[in-house]
Amino acid sequence: KVLGPMPPAAGPLVTTDPRTFNGSLSRTLRESRPWVGFIVIVTILLGSCLVVAGTFAVVIGSRDSQPQLLGAGFLMFLDAAVVFFFAWLLFAYNKHVGKYLRDNEKSIRKLDRAFRTLRSFWIFDSIVLIVLVSNGILAAIWAFSAGLIHG
């Protein structure tokens, strides 16, 4: 059964016309920029919460002589540093995208700088993810070997 006439093709997926390329690319970057900014703000708030919680943990841990709480506080500071670095990389990417969008010439150099920053973000994100997964696997192995989880 035919549902109706096929809509006309939206155009080629790959184009060599720089006006079409720059227009489409600029629109996509312009539309995604506020979302990247939102992620930066939420990430900075998360990092700030980690600093506050870490400060409380360190103060209470040293006041009450609780080394576990003291260690957890310092670990929160380390986590906050990682979160702030994430935010900084995304902020730098967003800044470079903004420079590209404001540039009337649409300099490929400015766009390249933005994508190099984004590449650094994804590399850092991948390294952190590998470390987290490895820690999870090691924690599961430890839990099984310590008899905390019965298999």
mmCIF file of all heavy atoms in Angstrom, residues 20-47:
data_model
loop_
_atom_site.group_PDB
_atom_site.id
_atom_site.type_symbol
_atom_site.label_atom_id
_atom_site.label_comp_id
_atom_site.label_asym_id
_atom_site.label_seq_id
_atom_site.Cartn_x
_atom_site.Cartn_y
_atom_site.Cartn_z
ATOM 1 N N THR A 20 26.501 26.540 1.825
ATOM 2 C CA THR A 20 25.591 25.564 2.420
ATOM 3 C C THR A 20 26.240 24.906 3.626
ATOM 4 O O THR A 20 25.632 24.747 4.674
ATOM 5 C CB THR A 20 25.216 24.488 1.379
ATOM 6 O OG1 THR A 20 24.672 25.140 0.251
ATOM 7 C CG2 THR A 20 24.226 23.512 1.956
ATOM 8 N N PHE A 21 27.511 24.546 3.469
ATOM 9 C CA PHE A 21 28.244 23.900 4.564
ATOM 10 C C PHE A 21 28.301 24.824 5.773
ATOM 11 O O PHE A 21 27.946 24.437 6.875
ATOM 12 C CB PHE A 21 29.651 23.523 4.097
ATOM 13 C CG PHE A 21 30.519 22.979 5.190
ATOM 14 C CD1 PHE A 21 30.348 21.676 5.630
ATOM 15 C CD2 PHE A 21 31.489 23.754 5.782
ATOM 16 C CE1 PHE A 21 31.138 21.165 6.645
ATOM 17 C CE2 PHE A 21 32.282 23.254 6.787
ATOM 18 C CZ PHE A 21 32.107 21.961 7.216
ATOM 19 N N ASN A 22 28.746 26.059 5.578
ATOM 20 C CA ASN A 22 28.877 26.997 6.698
ATOM 21 C C ASN A 22 27.529 27.316 7.319
ATOM 22 O O ASN A 22 27.415 27.445 8.526
ATOM 23 C CB ASN A 22 29.571 28.284 6.247
ATOM 24 C CG ASN A 22 31.057 28.111 6.086
ATOM 25 O OD1 ASN A 22 31.637 27.184 6.642
ATOM 26 N ND2 ASN A 22 31.673 28.975 5.316
ATOM 27 N N GLY A 23 26.488 27.446 6.498
ATOM 28 C CA GLY A 23 25.168 27.749 7.043
ATOM 29 C C GLY A 23 24.640 26.618 7.901
ATOM 30 O O GLY A 23 24.139 26.834 9.006
ATOM 31 N N SER A 24 24.744 25.403 7.407
ATOM 32 C CA SER A 24 24.263 24.239 8.149
ATOM 33 C C SER A 24 25.092 24.021 9.409
ATOM 34 O O SER A 24 24.557 23.766 10.487
ATOM 35 C CB SER A 24 24.317 23.003 7.255
ATOM 36 O OG SER A 24 23.958 21.862 7.971
ATOM 37 N N LEU A 25 26.397 24.122 9.272
ATOM 38 C CA LEU A 25 27.290 23.937 10.413
ATOM 39 C C LEU A 25 27.056 25.017 11.458
ATOM 40 O O LEU A 25 26.941 24.722 12.657
ATOM 41 C CB LEU A 25 28.747 23.953 9.951
ATOM 42 C CG LEU A 25 29.795 23.815 11.040
ATOM 43 C CD1 LEU A 25 29.721 22.428 11.656
ATOM 44 C CD2 LEU A 25 31.170 24.071 10.469
ATOM 45 N N SER A 26 26.958 26.246 11.012
ATOM 46 C CA SER A 26 26.745 27.356 11.947
ATOM 47 C C SER A 26 25.418 27.191 12.681
ATOM 48 O O SER A 26 25.333 27.451 13.883
ATOM 49 C CB SER A 26 26.767 28.696 11.207
ATOM 50 O OG SER A 26 28.043 28.936 10.671
ATOM 51 N N ARG A 27 24.380 26.772 11.986
ATOM 52 C CA ARG A 27 23.078 26.579 12.624
ATOM 53 C C ARG A 27 23.165 25.495 13.705
ATOM 54 O O ARG A 27 22.675 25.669 14.814
ATOM 55 C CB ARG A 27 22.025 26.211 11.575
ATOM 56 C CG ARG A 27 20.620 26.101 12.180
ATOM 57 C CD ARG A 27 19.575 25.637 11.190
ATOM 58 N NE ARG A 27 19.787 24.228 10.866
ATOM 59 C CZ ARG A 27 20.170 23.763 9.683
ATOM 60 N NH1 ARG A 27 20.393 24.586 8.682
ATOM 61 N NH2 ARG A 27 20.348 22.469 9.485
ATOM 62 N N THR A 28 23.825 24.391 13.370
ATOM 63 C CA THR A 28 23.961 23.299 14.340
ATOM 64 C C THR A 28 24.775 23.741 15.550
ATOM 65 O O THR A 28 24.397 23.459 16.693
ATOM 66 C CB THR A 28 24.620 22.080 13.677
ATOM 67 O OG1 THR A 28 23.825 21.685 12.562
ATOM 68 C CG2 THR A 28 24.759 20.928 14.645
ATOM 69 N N LEU A 29 25.869 24.433 15.325
ATOM 70 C CA LEU A 29 26.692 24.914 16.441
ATOM 71 C C LEU A 29 25.930 25.933 17.276
ATOM 72 O O LEU A 29 25.985 25.905 18.505
ATOM 73 C CB LEU A 29 27.995 25.522 15.915
ATOM 74 C CG LEU A 29 28.992 24.542 15.312
ATOM 75 C CD1 LEU A 29 30.144 25.291 14.660
ATOM 76 C CD2 LEU A 29 29.512 23.587 16.368
ATOM 77 N N ARG A 30 25.202 26.835 16.629
ATOM 78 C CA ARG A 30 24.438 27.857 17.335
ATOM 79 C C ARG A 30 23.342 27.216 18.195
ATOM 80 O O ARG A 30 23.098 27.640 19.319
ATOM 81 C CB ARG A 30 23.822 28.837 16.337
ATOM 82 C CG ARG A 30 23.277 30.087 16.972
ATOM 83 C CD ARG A 30 22.775 31.113 15.951
ATOM 84 N NE ARG A 30 23.825 31.571 15.063
ATOM 85 C CZ ARG A 30 23.950 31.208 13.770
ATOM 86 N NH1 ARG A 30 23.077 30.390 13.224
ATOM 87 N NH2 ARG A 30 24.930 31.663 13.031
ATOM 88 N N GLU A 31 22.691 26.185 17.660
ATOM 89 C CA GLU A 31 21.611 25.525 18.406
ATOM 90 C C GLU A 31 22.129 24.680 19.568
ATOM 91 O O GLU A 31 21.440 24.512 20.574
ATOM 92 C CB GLU A 31 20.781 24.662 17.462
ATOM 93 C CG GLU A 31 19.945 25.461 16.486
ATOM 94 C CD GLU A 31 19.278 24.601 15.421
ATOM 95 O OE1 GLU A 31 19.522 23.370 15.399
ATOM 96 O OE2 GLU A 31 18.524 25.157 14.617
ATOM 97 N N SER A 32 23.325 24.126 19.442
ATOM 98 C CA SER A 32 23.848 23.263 20.507
ATOM 99 C C SER A 32 24.598 24.047 21.579
ATOM 100 O O SER A 32 24.780 23.538 22.691
ATOM 101 C CB SER A 32 24.759 22.184 19.922
ATOM 102 O OG SER A 32 25.912 22.760 19.349
ATOM 103 N N ARG A 33 25.001 25.264 21.275
ATOM 104 C CA ARG A 33 25.795 26.054 22.216
ATOM 105 C C ARG A 33 25.110 26.280 23.565
ATOM 106 O O ARG A 33 25.756 26.135 24.617
ATOM 107 C CB ARG A 33 26.147 27.387 21.572
ATOM 108 C CG ARG A 33 27.482 27.833 21.960
ATOM 109 C CD ARG A 33 28.005 28.965 21.123
ATOM 110 N NE ARG A 33 28.962 29.597 21.988
ATOM 111 C CZ ARG A 33 28.832 30.800 22.482
ATOM 112 N NH1 ARG A 33 27.839 31.554 22.123
ATOM 113 N NH2 ARG A 33 29.736 31.257 23.313
ATOM 114 N N PRO A 34 23.820 26.621 23.623
ATOM 115 C CA PRO A 34 23.189 26.794 24.943
ATOM 116 C C PRO A 34 23.180 25.511 25.776
ATOM 117 O O PRO A 34 23.303 25.561 27.002
ATOM 118 C CB PRO A 34 21.755 27.227 24.609
ATOM 119 C CG PRO A 34 21.809 27.752 23.229
ATOM 120 C CD PRO A 34 22.918 27.012 22.540
ATOM 121 N N TRP A 35 23.056 24.367 25.124
ATOM 122 C CA TRP A 35 23.056 23.102 25.862
ATOM 123 C C TRP A 35 24.437 22.815 26.448
ATOM 124 O O TRP A 35 24.537 22.311 27.571
ATOM 125 C CB TRP A 35 22.600 21.959 24.957
ATOM 126 C CG TRP A 35 21.161 22.085 24.626
ATOM 127 C CD1 TRP A 35 20.612 22.468 23.437
ATOM 128 C CD2 TRP A 35 20.066 21.874 25.518
ATOM 129 N NE1 TRP A 35 19.244 22.502 23.540
ATOM 130 C CE2 TRP A 35 18.882 22.141 24.810
ATOM 131 C CE3 TRP A 35 19.962 21.483 26.844
ATOM 132 C CZ2 TRP A 35 17.618 22.027 25.368
ATOM 133 C CZ3 TRP A 35 18.703 21.367 27.418
ATOM 134 C CH2 TRP A 35 17.556 21.632 26.684
ATOM 135 N N VAL A 36 25.471 23.147 25.705
ATOM 136 C CA VAL A 36 26.821 22.972 26.247
ATOM 137 C C VAL A 36 26.999 23.906 27.435
ATOM 138 O O VAL A 36 27.556 23.517 28.470
ATOM 139 C CB VAL A 36 27.894 23.218 25.159
ATOM 140 C CG1 VAL A 36 29.291 23.178 25.747
ATOM 141 C CG2 VAL A 36 27.760 22.207 24.030
ATOM 142 N N GLY A 37 26.512 25.132 27.315
ATOM 143 C CA GLY A 37 26.584 26.077 28.435
ATOM 144 C C GLY A 37 25.830 25.566 29.657
ATOM 145 O O GLY A 37 26.297 25.712 30.793
ATOM 146 N N PHE A 38 24.678 24.957 29.445
ATOM 147 C CA PHE A 38 23.913 24.371 30.540
ATOM 148 C C PHE A 38 24.717 23.279 31.238
ATOM 149 O O PHE A 38 24.775 23.226 32.472
ATOM 150 C CB PHE A 38 22.581 23.818 30.010
ATOM 151 C CG PHE A 38 21.813 23.024 31.011
ATOM 152 C CD1 PHE A 38 21.135 23.658 32.044
ATOM 153 C CD2 PHE A 38 21.763 21.644 30.931
ATOM 154 C CE1 PHE A 38 20.419 22.919 32.981
ATOM 155 C CE2 PHE A 38 21.055 20.906 31.857
ATOM 156 C CZ PHE A 38 20.380 21.545 32.890
ATOM 157 N N ILE A 39 25.347 22.412 30.452
ATOM 158 C CA ILE A 39 26.155 21.332 31.030
ATOM 159 C C ILE A 39 27.325 21.914 31.818
ATOM 160 O O ILE A 39 27.673 21.415 32.896
ATOM 161 C CB ILE A 39 26.636 20.359 29.934
ATOM 162 C CG1 ILE A 39 25.435 19.610 29.347
ATOM 163 C CG2 ILE A 39 27.674 19.385 30.473
ATOM 164 C CD1 ILE A 39 25.751 18.813 28.106
ATOM 165 N N VAL A 40 27.938 22.982 31.316
ATOM 166 C CA VAL A 40 29.038 23.634 32.032
ATOM 167 C C VAL A 40 28.554 24.149 33.388
ATOM 168 O O VAL A 40 29.196 23.927 34.415
ATOM 169 C CB VAL A 40 29.648 24.779 31.185
ATOM 170 C CG1 VAL A 40 30.583 25.641 32.012
ATOM 171 C CG2 VAL A 40 30.374 24.224 29.973
ATOM 172 N N ILE A 41 27.400 24.819 33.406
ATOM 173 C CA ILE A 41 26.876 25.377 34.661
ATOM 174 C C ILE A 41 26.560 24.270 35.663
ATOM 175 O O ILE A 41 26.939 24.355 36.837
ATOM 176 C CB ILE A 41 25.631 26.242 34.380
ATOM 177 C CG1 ILE A 41 26.046 27.519 33.654
ATOM 178 C CG2 ILE A 41 24.892 26.582 35.674
ATOM 179 C CD1 ILE A 41 24.897 28.319 33.097
ATOM 180 N N VAL A 42 25.896 23.213 35.209
ATOM 181 C CA VAL A 42 25.554 22.105 36.111
ATOM 182 C C VAL A 42 26.825 21.430 36.628
ATOM 183 O O VAL A 42 26.918 21.070 37.809
ATOM 184 C CB VAL A 42 24.626 21.096 35.402
ATOM 185 C CG1 VAL A 42 24.459 19.828 36.215
ATOM 186 C CG2 VAL A 42 23.270 21.728 35.128
ATOM 187 N N THR A 43 27.815 21.293 35.768
ATOM 188 C CA THR A 43 29.070 20.660 36.169
ATOM 189 C C THR A 43 29.805 21.517 37.201
ATOM 190 O O THR A 43 30.357 20.989 38.173
ATOM 191 C CB THR A 43 29.958 20.413 34.935
ATOM 192 O OG1 THR A 43 29.215 19.674 33.975
ATOM 193 C CG2 THR A 43 31.203 19.638 35.282
ATOM 194 N N ILE A 44 29.794 22.823 37.023
ATOM 195 C CA ILE A 44 30.430 23.714 38.005
ATOM 196 C C ILE A 44 29.684 23.634 39.346
ATOM 197 O O ILE A 44 30.315 23.607 40.407
ATOM 198 C CB ILE A 44 30.491 25.154 37.476
ATOM 199 C CG1 ILE A 44 31.531 25.238 36.351
ATOM 200 C CG2 ILE A 44 30.824 26.151 38.580
ATOM 201 C CD1 ILE A 44 31.551 26.554 35.615
ATOM 202 N N LEU A 45 28.355 23.581 39.295
ATOM 203 C CA LEU A 45 27.589 23.430 40.541
ATOM 204 C C LEU A 45 27.911 22.115 41.236
ATOM 205 O O LEU A 45 28.060 22.071 42.467
ATOM 206 C CB LEU A 45 26.088 23.529 40.260
ATOM 207 C CG LEU A 45 25.573 24.914 39.868
ATOM 208 C CD1 LEU A 45 24.106 24.841 39.452
ATOM 209 C CD2 LEU A 45 25.757 25.893 41.016
ATOM 210 N N LEU A 46 28.031 21.032 40.464
ATOM 211 C CA LEU A 46 28.397 19.739 41.041
ATOM 212 C C LEU A 46 29.779 19.800 41.683
ATOM 213 O O LEU A 46 29.966 19.323 42.816
ATOM 214 C CB LEU A 46 28.363 18.646 39.969
ATOM 215 C CG LEU A 46 28.878 17.272 40.392
ATOM 216 C CD1 LEU A 46 27.986 16.677 41.476
ATOM 217 C CD2 LEU A 46 28.963 16.351 39.201
ATOM 218 N N GLY A 47 30.735 20.390 40.985
ATOM 219 C CA GLY A 47 32.078 20.525 41.543
ATOM 220 C C GLY A 47 32.077 21.352 42.819
ATOM 221 O O GLY A 47 32.777 21.027 43.786
#
